[in-house]
Structure formats: C-alpha cells, structure tokens
Amino acid sequence: MSSILIKNIRAVDTETDTTTDVFINNGKIEKLGAGITEAADKVIDGTGLVLMPSIFDMHVHLRDPGYTHKEDVLTACAAALAGGVTGVLAMPNTNPPCDNPETIRYIRDKAKDTGVDVYPVGCITGGMSGNGLCDYEALKAAGCICISDDGRPVENAENMRKALEFSNENGLLVASHCEDLSIINGGIMNKGETSEKLGVKGMDRASEDYITAREMILASSVNARIHICHVSTEGSAAMIRFAKSRGVKVTCETAPHYFMLTDKLLEKRDADYRMNPPLRTPEDVRAIIESVKDGTIDCIITDHAPHAAEEKANFEKAPNGVVGLETSLAATLTSLYHTGEIDLHRVVELMCVNPRKILGLDIPCIKEGSTADLLIADINKKWTVEPEKLHSKSHNSVFKGMELTGKPLVTISKGEIRYNAL
C-alpha cells in the first residue's frame, strides 16, 4: 500500500478547520501537523485546496443487475469516485430486485475492488410488490443494513407497520419512498401552474405529504426508526420537523435539485428535468433550504438515477430520474456554501458524517489514526457541467450547461488514490 503526503492543505471536518500537512500510510492518517518530512510515494501540494472526509451517498441507483445499458456497478463507482464519494447505499429496484441474498452478494462481489463501499438495500416486500415481507434476517446475513421498496411505496399500511416492527428485531433501517400512487395517478411533474401551462398531468404534493405523515405515525406506533427519502415539499419538511420535536425516530434526506431548481425548468419539455419526486415551487425550494439549515434535513444525497438518452427522448413518456454523483458536492457548495446559507462544517455533516451515522457505519475524520477516506476539492473552481464528460454511462444531468463552483479533484479510499484530476 502506497504512502501519501499532502502538504499545506486546509483540513475541514465537523470539528477541525486548520491548515496542515497530512501523512497517510497503511490506509490511515498517520501524522498531522506543519512541516512533516516523511518520505512518501506520492506528494500532493494542497495549497489553496480543501481536504474533507469522503462523501457517503445513501441514495443511489446502480441499475445492476438488469438494466446495465443505463449504468452498472463499475461505471457507477467510477462516477462516485469522481464526485468524492467512497460509499453508497444502492437502491433495490434492479432486475431481479434485491429481495434475495444472491442478488445482494452479486452486487457486493462486483463492487469489492472498486474503492467504493457499496451497501445494497434489501426490498421490504418480495419483488417490490407491496405484498409479502422479505426474509430480513437472510438479507442482513447477506450484507444489508437497510431495507426499502424505493421506486415504489409500500401501499398497504399494515405491511409497512410490520416491516418497521420487524426492522427493530433485525437492526435494519427502513427507508421510505413517500408516494401515494392513487393520488399520482399518472402524473409526470409537479402539479401547478407549469403543468397546467404545458397541459400535462401533475403530481399533487399531497401524495408525498400524506405518506410522509403515515410513515412517521407507523414508526412511532412501534417505536421504530424511519428514514424519509428525497424530501421535496414544504409540507413534508414541516411535518418531519414537528415529528422530531415530539421524539419520533425519523431522519430524512434531500437532493441538490430540490434546493436549487424549480418546476419552471420543465417549460423546456426536456425529460432530463423530470424525476420523482418532481421539481417543485420557489416556496418549496426555500423551505428545503431552511430545513437543511435548521437540522430538520439530515443528509444530502443524489438519488442518482441513470437512464439512456433514447429513454429520455420523449418528454411525456420518459422514465423519471437524473444522474448526480459527480455534481452533488459542487451543487451543494454553489447553492448553499457560496451563498452563505451553511458553512463547510455543515457540508461535511450533511454529506459525509450523517449518512454514515444513520447507517451505523464508521465515520471518517481528519485525525491521526483515522481511516483515510478523504477527498481533496478546489471549493472555488468554476466549471460548466458537460454531461458527455461524466463517468456515468448515462448523461441525464439536471445541471447540464450550468456553471458550478467547487469541484472534487482527488478521492482517497482507505489510503489509496482512486481518482486524481490534479
């Protein structure tokens, strides 16, 4: 294993913000301080750059097995590393779905040499059908730490209540895709002025808000943990804030597009701006920003959901989803840090620390003896997103053509440089 010496870099985690040298050896941070002179296999001049713990994205679709024309484990992990990400929670809507130990083991085995810690999410119900709970003990034994039917809600409330109850027995986190399909009823974007202008069926926010409330009530009834996926509405954020104040064991996440963009972008009739939940209104954007700031929202994720160009060609018939692994840090720095909404400590908390904490994983930090899962970024670098240059197989980026400020340049996984754009 090679050694790395990083000279004169600004090191930032939740507790630290200092300029220092960092010596990495045998997969760990061996020394911190000014004037380190140890011989190293690789020396990096960190002047003007920032060192942070690596990102953990707890909401990613790898599309493997079954949909490898969109993405596969290897291309997704390459995209992750280019975004400063060394760990992902992989959603179960593959083909076959992750409702069995064999599929879980296939994904883990394929990812083992990538430099990215991939944790497959097990299904709540067999085949994500909403009926018949999976064998959670077997899924956990195969390596699952979380269960979800993400991509679909569990429509039957009693099945969801039982899943929450059994999750306590197996030590698994339950993550919910909050959507009422009867309310959605074929909608393809946020229901509002823009959907009416375009003459397309809208997705009423009541769908997300209703199931968000349901999940927290069910979790509270059995004293279980519940994680609410991709929060996009003012109403859901407000209910989660209230539930937390009442002691409900709820955590939640949002994605950069929900605190940056609105449904007016869909006036272009470009399906690359369609995802589920959809882009909402300026009022929702402001509410999500405030919820990030006040701690209601625990994590920033991507909901990385690749689709091939031909699949996204028809605005009304295209599948929902956008890629995001390579733009998440840049988008967050651009819209929240450089605007003064949050500081770098909070960025680290939202993207690096809290996802791992929620999942019960080891948390990297910049201290002697800590595992060297790190990223180096130029937080002031301006760059324009060119989807064709992304490492993902698919290029359906909601940030295409946008100028962002801040970019990961080096990703270190367990002491090894796995991505280097210096």
Side-chain angles (χ1 to χ4, degrees), residues 99-174:
D99 61 0
N100 62 87
E102 292 73 26
T103 302
I104 303 296
R105 285 193 285 267
Y106 161 81
I107 296 169
R108 294 187 72 199
D109 288 346
K110 193 167 181 179
K112 65 183 179 181
D113 296 322
T114 62
V116 178
D117 294 321
V118 174
Y119 295 88
V121 176
C123 296
I124 294 175
T125 62
M128 297 176 61
S129 64
N131 300 306
L133 302 184
C134 291
D135 184 341
Y136 301 148
E137 188 174 351
L139 292 177
K140 184 176 182 179
C144 280
I145 56 177
C146 178
I147 55 173
S148 179
D149 275 3
D150 184 72
R152 290 187 63 85
V154 178
E155 293 186 76
N156 184 287
E158 176 61 7
N159 281 345
M160 189 64 175
R161 189 195 64 80
K162 286 180 179 177
L164 286 158
E165 189 173 34
F166 296 154
S167 73
N168 270 344
E169 299 173 8
N170 290 280
L172 296 168
L173 179 70
V174 180

Side-chain angles (χ1 to χ4, degrees), residues 315-392:
F315 175 67
E316 295 190 19
K317 295 180 180 180
N320 290 309
V322 296
V323 295
L325 282 165
E326 296 172 69
T327 53
S328 60
L329 179 61
T332 300
L333 291 172
T334 300
S335 59
L336 298 181
Y337 170 71
H338 286 296
T339 57
E341 301 284 4
I342 61 175
D343 61 17
L344 284 179
H345 295 296
R346 181 67 174 145
V347 172
V348 171
E349 189 175 35
L350 288 158
M351 304 189 78
C352 314
V353 173
N354 284 353
R356 291 176 169 103
K357 184 182 293 184
I358 290 166
L359 294 166
L361 303 173
D362 291 339
I363 299 169
C365 58
I366 304 176
K367 292 181 180 177
E368 291 181 358
S370 179
T371 299
D373 286 330
L374 304 163
L375 70 88
I376 298 173
D378 182 343
I379 63 171
N380 297 307
K381 181 178 178 65
K382 295 184 182 297
W383 62 290
T384 300
V385 178
E386 299 175 80
E388 65 276 7
K389 293 184 178 180
L390 299 176
H391 292 73
S392 174

Side-chain angles (χ1 to χ4, degrees), residues 284-333:
D284 292 301
V285 168
R286 190 65 235 172
I288 297 301
I289 291 172
E290 291 302 320
S291 299
V292 167
K293 291 170 65 176
D294 70 14
T296 298
I297 288 174
D298 300 279
C299 310
I300 292 173
I301 53 83
T302 62
D303 195 6
H304 179 82
H307 294 293
E310 59 271 21
E311 294 171 322
K312 279 287 194 176
N314 184 300
F315 175 67
E316 295 190 19
K317 295 180 180 180
N320 290 309
V322 296
V323 295
L325 282 165
E326 296 172 69
T327 53
S328 60
L329 179 61
T332 300
L333 291 172

